[in-house]
Amino acid sequence: MRALMPAFDCIQEYEQARSERLWDGMSLWATNRDPGAVYVLGYAAEIAVKCAYFRFSGFTIVQPIGHAELNTAQARAHVLHVTAPREGFHSIRFWGDLLIEHRRAAARPLPAATEASLKVAVDAVYDRWWIEMRYKRAYSSRTDLEQLAAAVDWIDNHYVALYT
Amino acid sequence: MPVIRKRLGPRDHPEHDRFVAELVRHIRNEPGLPDFPKIVEEDVRLSNNLRVYVSWDDWGSVPETERSEIILEAYSQARGVPEMLRISVAMGLTPLEARQLGIDIDG
């Protein structure tokens, strides 16, 4: 199976993965696997915000996103005074703040209400999901799942607006 | 033994600002420049993005991400923020690193 996977990441792969993680998360929710649903839905949110950043940055859907591109994103974050740690490039707060600051620097800021709602959604996910959860036992509650799912839903519904 | 307080986050290289200033001169193609740093710009096909490779022996003591920061800061100063935002890859390499990675800076 590894041989079938593309050798590099790109927006096209990210977006397909985002869609699959959304359905996977909903399936887990429907079968009362709440902590699993939190973990998988968190990925969907993180991928969406990361992808919105690369789309806004002008990447084509098949343009490789590898070490050099991620390292440049980290450098740009520093230049634009984004202080959120990247957390292995899996921090939704890092990508959300970078998207906001990149748009500002490009003189195309998000509308104030959208930016505020994005920050609320990103914080809701950030507080309940991080990549290292895979090594932890389940701490998520039904309330965590419902609040995270609401944030994921907002990000999903506003995905295109984040990069256009 | 004195207490050593560790600073949070990375500290800029002591010559960070000199590197930026030197790169700005090269990006602006000012007269009388030395051969290095050598800057290669590559348009990304079907995109407005730009990849920038900078070959320079002086990079040796500079961490990888800070090299990228220096390049982005220099482009921002020399050509403006919009041009800096076009850069999808800002990679600083010593000539030896470039050869080891098979990146043809001279081609």
Side-chain angles (χ1 to χ4, degrees):
Chain A
M1 193 182 84
R2 288 186 186 216
L4 296 175
M5 288 190 186
F8 57 85
D9 289 338
C10 62
I11 287 173
Q12 192 176 53
E13 279 294 309
Y14 281 168
E15 290 185 340
Q16 185 63 37
R18 178 178 81 94
S19 174
E20 291 174 8
R21 294 301 90 76
L22 269 176
W23 285 108
D24 294 342
M26 298 301 281
S27 300
L28 287 164
W29 190 356
T31 51
N32 295 317
R33 300 290 300 168
D34 292 6
V38 165
Y39 187 57
V40 176
L41 285 173
Y43 271 113
E46 181 243 349
I47 294 169
V49 176
K50 182 189 287 185
C51 210
Y53 166 75
F54 282 110
R55 272 199 176 265
F56 185 76
S57 300
F59 278 59
T60 68
I61 59 168
V62 292
Q63 193 169 328
I65 300 172
H67 177 80
E69 287 77 11
L70 292 171
N71 192 56
T72 302
Q74 163 74 38
R76 178 169 291 126
H78 193 263
V79 171
L80 297 177
H81 309 294
V82 171
T83 56
R86 66 186 191 191
E87 298 180 14
F89 294 109
H90 293 295
S91 165
I92 189 171
R93 187 172 278 165
F94 170 82
W95 291 109
D97 287 355
L98 182 54
L99 172 64
I100 287 167
E101 293 308 323
H102 189 120
R103 292 197 62 127
R104 282 208 183 113
R108 290 174 58 197
L110 286 166
T114 307
E115 183 179 307
S117 296
L118 172 64
K119 284 181 173 175
V120 169
V122 162
D123 284 347
V125 175
Y126 184 83
D127 284 346
R128 293 168 180 84
W129 179 89
W130 64 102
I131 197 84
E132 298 299 326
M133 288 173 83
R134 65 188 182 275
Y135 296 123
K136 309 289 184 192
R137 60 192 164 93
Y139 288 92
S140 307
S141 66
R142 173 51 64 107
T143 304
D144 286 320
L145 172 56
E146 289 170 351
Q147 291 179 343
L148 181 130
V152 172
D153 187 52
W154 187 91
I155 291 168
D156 188 51
N157 286 329
H158 294 81
Y159 175 60
V160 174
L162 296 179
Y163 65 81
T164 52
Chain B
M1 187 75 176
V3 174
I4 299 169
R5 287 189 67 84
K6 289 188 75 173
R7 183 178 182 272
L8 288 176
R11 185 193 299 269
D12 278 350
H13 189 280
E15 295 197 84
H16 183 106
D17 292 342
R18 180 183 75 79
F19 290 143
V20 172
E22 186 67 12
L23 266 183
V24 166
R25 292 178 61 225
H26 281 258
I27 295 165
R28 288 181 175 152
N29 207 15
E30 292 182 1
L33 295 169
D35 289 342
F36 284 88
K38 194 168 283 185
I39 302 169
V40 174
E41 296 178 352
E42 178 184 57
D43 286 316
V44 179
R45 197 164 161 264
L46 302 175
S47 152
N48 188 39
N49 284 165
L50 189 66
R51 295 190 184 105
V52 177
Y53 304 94
V54 177
S55 173
W56 203 359
D57 266 327
D58 289 15
W59 286 134
S61 61
V62 185
E64 183 185 13
T65 301
E66 190 170 357
R67 297 180 189 181
S68 301
E69 288 168 22
I70 288 167
I71 295 167
L72 293 177
E73 284 178 34
Y75 268 81
S76 187
Q77 289 183 28
R79 293 193 187 160
V81 171
E83 189 73 358
M84 181 273 283
L85 294 176
R86 286 182 59 208
I87 298 174
S88 60
V89 169
M91 188 182 282
L93 301 152
T94 64
L96 176 63
E97 290 168 345
R99 280 195 298 278
Q100 287 172 338
L101 287 173
I103 296 175
D104 183 12
I105 299 279
D106 296 315

